[in-house]
């Protein structure tokens, strides 16, 4: 809905501009007299077409205008009412532009039990038989048509790699900065297949906060297989007990 910007003075179309009373009376067909405020100006829409704006006094419609569009025929002084409407002004409060459900939905809004609509034109996917990269399925292991119908496209892999690398399981985390070594040298790192192998793996350490998740090779945490927690320092040096073997008292046991 376009916003209405009325002006006070119009040098053209004086016949239409002076028809304020006619416009106000026309509004009584769609609203009550107490909801129509003072005349705020006009908008010249086109040749021999002009809109009168009246302040709207309805609760909740601050900054809105009652709009009455008038017109006249060429070389005629007869005013014709074309349209009656309620339009927002420059300062009116309006709802944000409508965003389709598919565009405003985010991955965090979907649970594992909800089904998503099929997208035939998903740019992240290609037909399985079209993939010729190192990530392609081994087609010789099964007949054509029995494998996955679609696989990740190059664009889809790039999106995933960027998302993973820039997540809290990439290199730019507090745990990585505090770690003694990266995941690339950890025994619990399970490497991935295809092009992802050179960048990512899956953590298999149940003591790691990243267990079962994709991590970058330059990620790190305190559960690295080759690290050790620092030992606590003792408050004193414990000496070995001293036994005086030259002074032994033999005690008979009672039966």
């Amino acid at each position: 809905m376009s916003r209405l910007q009325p002006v006070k003075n119009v040098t053209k179309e004086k016949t239409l501009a002076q028809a304020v009373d006619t416009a106000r009376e026309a509004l009584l067909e769609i609203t009550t007299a107490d909801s129509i405020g003072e005349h705020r100006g006009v908008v010249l829409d086109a040749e021999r077409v002009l809109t009168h704006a009246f302040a709207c006094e309805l609760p909740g419609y601050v900054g809105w205008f009652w709009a009455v569009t008038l017109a006249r025929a060429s070389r005629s002084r007869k005013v014709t009412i074309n349209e009656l409407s309620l339009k927002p002004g420059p300062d009116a409060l309006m709802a944000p532009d409508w965003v389709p459900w598919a565009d405003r939905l985010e991955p965090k809004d979907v649970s594992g039990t909800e089904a998503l609509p099929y997208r035939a034109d998903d740019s992240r996917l290609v037909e399985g038989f079209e993939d010729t990269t190192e990530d392609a399925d081994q087609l010789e292991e099964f007949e054509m048509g029995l494998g996955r119908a679609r696989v990740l496209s190059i664009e889809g892999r790039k999106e995933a790699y960027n998302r993973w690398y820039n997540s809290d399981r990439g290199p730019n985390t507090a745990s990585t900065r505090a770690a003694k070594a990266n995941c690339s040298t950890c025994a619990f790192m399970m490497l991935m297949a295809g092009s992802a192998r050179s960048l990512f793996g899956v953590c298999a350490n149940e003591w790691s906060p990243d267990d079962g998740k994709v991590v970058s090779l330059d990620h790190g945490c305190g559960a690295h297989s080759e690290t050790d927690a620092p030992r606590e320092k003792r408050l004193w040096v414990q000496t070995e007990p001293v036994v005086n073997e030259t002074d032994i008292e033999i005690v008979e046991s009672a039966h």
Side-chain angles (χ1 to χ4, degrees):
M1 180 183 293
S2 60
R3 293 180 181 266
L4 192 66
Q5 182 71 54
V7 296
K8 287 294 184 181
N9 299 318
V10 176
T11 56
K12 296 181 179 180
E13 300 299 343
K14 289 185 178 181
T15 300
L16 297 178
Q18 293 173 354
V20 178
D21 293 338
T22 302
R24 183 183 291 272
E25 291 177 5
L27 284 174
L28 297 177
E29 297 182 11
I30 62 172
T31 188
T32 58
D34 58 349
S35 70
I36 307 172
E38 63 177 308
H39 185 257
R40 292 296 182 84
V42 298
V43 177
L44 186 61
D45 299 307
E47 185 178 1
R48 297 188 298 278
V49 180
L50 181 142
T51 297
H52 286 270
F54 298 87
C56 178
E57 301 296 337
L58 291 174
Y61 283 85
V62 177
W64 287 68
F65 296 100
W66 291 110
V68 182
T69 302
L70 307 177
R72 67 177 181 85
S74 178
R75 295 187 297 276
S76 173
R77 287 183 171 273
K78 183 179 179 181
V79 176
T80 301
I81 299 171
N82 285 14
E83 184 181 46
L84 307 174
S85 61
L86 182 62
K87 293 189 176 182
D91 302 322
L93 181 63
M94 297 180 63
D97 293 337
W98 168 255
V99 179
W101 174 84
D103 295 335
R104 70 175 183 267
L105 191 68
E106 296 183 2
K108 63 182 180 181
D109 300 325
V110 182
S111 69
T113 59
E114 294 173 311
L116 295 177
Y118 178 82
R119 294 177 57 184
D121 58 348
D122 196 329
S123 61
R124 300 170 300 170
L125 306 177
V126 294
E127 299 295 334
F129 60 84
E130 293 180 356
D131 189 11
T132 58
T133 66
E134 60 181 303
D135 297 283
D137 289 340
Q138 300 298 317
L139 296 179
E140 64 271 16
E141 294 182 1
F142 51 78
E143 296 292 335
M144 290 290 291
L146 298 181
R148 292 184 293 168
R150 295 190 294 177
V151 296
L152 278 175
S153 64
I154 295 178
E155 181 179 346
R157 284 193 290 271
K158 285 182 178 179
E159 287 185 11
Y161 295 169
N162 285 331
R163 187 171 61 252
W164 295 344
Y165 199 77
N166 294 318
S167 71
D168 56 3
R169 290 180 291 279
N172 301 317
T173 63
S175 66
T176 300
R177 291 188 289 270
K180 301 298 183 182
N182 291 333
C183 294
S184 60
T185 58
C186 182
F188 295 107
M189 165 68 78
M190 298 179 63
L191 294 176
M192 302 180 72
S195 59
R197 185 183 182 87
S198 61
L199 296 171
F200 304 100
V202 177
C203 178
N205 187 352
E206 62 179 329
W207 291 100
S208 170
D210 302 316
D211 181 38
K213 300 174 182 177
V214 175
V215 294
S216 66
L217 298 184
D218 49 2
H219 179 64
C221 73
H224 191 284
S225 62
E226 309 309 317
T227 60
D228 190 14
R231 301 186 178 219
E232 294 184 2
K233 294 183 179 181
R234 296 180 179 179
L235 298 178
W236 63 87
V237 178
Q238 180 67 44
T239 60
E240 295 293 332
V242 178
V243 180
N244 186 358
E245 297 180 351
T246 62
D247 187 11
I248 301 176
E249 180 182 357
I250 300 175
V251 179
E252 295 182 0
S253 60
H255 295 285

